[in-house]
Amino acid sequence: MGYLRSGLCALGLLLASTAGAQTLPAPAEFYFDDDARTAVPIVAIAGDDDQTHARLMQLIDRNARTADQARAQLARALMQTGREDTGRALYTQTIAALSPRAPLRSAVHWNYAWDLYRLGHYDEALEQWRQSLDGRLLKPSWAPPTLALALWSAGRRDEAVRWYAAAVRTEPTQWSDPARYPALLPGWAERERATLTEVFNAWRAAPPAWP
C-alpha cells in the first residue's frame, strides 16, 4: 500500500501491548441482549481491494464524517494482510479519537479483538473484548461463546468453561449441541468452532454450578 503516509508508517512502530493475563468480570447469569451495533465488521466503504483502501485513506486524510469507520476498516485490512504493526497503530489511533462513550468504540474493540485473536494474541484479544464490554449495561449474547473461545485458547480452561456455562444458561437449546454452531456462529472459522466444541466437551463433562 504505497499510498500510506509516512506518518502512519511511523505509527506502525507503536504497539498496543498488554502484559500478562487479562482480568475479566465474572460471568453473569444470563446474556440475552442483542448487540448488533458492536458485533459486526466496521465498513465505511464496501470492498477490500487496493482501490478501496486508497479511498479509505482519502476519508481519513480529509477527516470526513466516516473517518473513524475508515480507520477501523483499514486497520483490519492491514492486520489481515501481514501489516500487523501498522494495523495495531491505526486501531490505537482510532480508539484514541473516540470518546469513552462513543457508539462506535465498542465495535472497534470487538473488531480489534478478533484480529488479535486470529493472529494468536489471545490475551490481548481478551483485553479488547473486555473493553468492548466495559461500562455498558448490556449483557450481550456474543460474550459467553466468544470469551469462552479466547480463554480456552489462552489456556484458561476453567474460566472458559464457566463462560460457556453462561451461554447454556441463557439459551440451553442452542448451546447444548455443537451441531448448531455453523448456524449460531456463521462468521467464525471452522477451526474456531472446533475449539469451541472442545470447550463444550469440557462443560458437558463437568458443568459448573451457578452461582
Side-chain angles (χ1 to χ4, degrees), residues 164 174-175 177-186 193-194 196-197 200:
Y164 193 86
Q174 293 184 2
W175 297 105
D177 183 2
R180 302 200 62 175
Y181 290 172
L184 293 169
L185 305 165
R193 293 195 288 263
L196 194 64
T197 300
F200 165 80

Side-chain angles (χ1 to χ4, degrees), residues 24-209:
L24 296 172
E29 186 171 8
F30 300 117
Y31 286 82
F32 285 114
D33 293 324
D34 180 27
D35 198 16
R37 293 180 64 183
T38 293
V40 65
I42 298 170
V43 178
I45 300 172
D48 192 28
D49 54 16
D50 286 347
Q51 183 178 9
T52 302
H53 300 160
R55 292 172 64 200
L56 291 171
M57 274 304 305
Q58 291 173 357
L59 292 177
I60 295 167
D61 288 346
R62 296 200 305 264
N63 196 27
R65 180 178 55 85
T66 57
D68 292 328
Q69 289 91 331
R71 286 189 190 94
Q73 183 179 348
L74 187 58
R76 164 154 284 193
L78 291 164
M79 295 281 281
Q80 292 179 346
T81 55
R83 298 166 176 84
E84 181 182 340
D85 286 356
T86 311
R88 283 173 174 266
L90 196 52
Y91 266 126
T92 300
Q93 185 184 75
T94 305
I95 293 166
L98 295 167
S99 69
R101 293 294 171 259
L104 185 65
R105 191 181 182 100
S106 61
V108 173
H109 286 300
W110 185 89
N111 279 272
Y112 190 13
W114 272 115
D115 290 337
L116 289 166
Y117 178 86
R118 286 167 173 158
L119 289 171
H121 305 304
Y122 305 130
D123 284 325
E124 290 183 275
L126 283 164
E127 171 60 13
Q128 291 300 319
W129 275 314
R130 183 195 67 76
Q131 291 190 59
S132 187
L133 295 168
D134 191 38
R136 304 175 70 210
L137 298 178
L138 290 177
K139 294 291 184 287
S141 58
W142 62 261
T146 304
L147 296 178
L149 170 75
L151 286 162
W152 188 268
S153 299
R156 297 162 62 176
R157 299 196 166 187
D158 289 345
E159 292 175 82
V161 171
R162 288 196 293 272
W163 275 97
Y164 193 86
V168 178
R169 283 193 302 271
T170 304
E171 296 286 0
T173 61
Q174 293 184 2
W175 297 105
S176 297
D177 183 2
R180 302 200 62 175
Y181 290 172
L184 293 169
L185 305 165
W188 288 31
E190 183 57 39
R191 65 182 178 278
E192 293 157 0
R193 293 195 288 263
T195 298
L196 194 64
T197 300
E198 296 177 19
V199 187
F200 165 80
N201 289 333
W203 165 82
R204 184 173 58 180

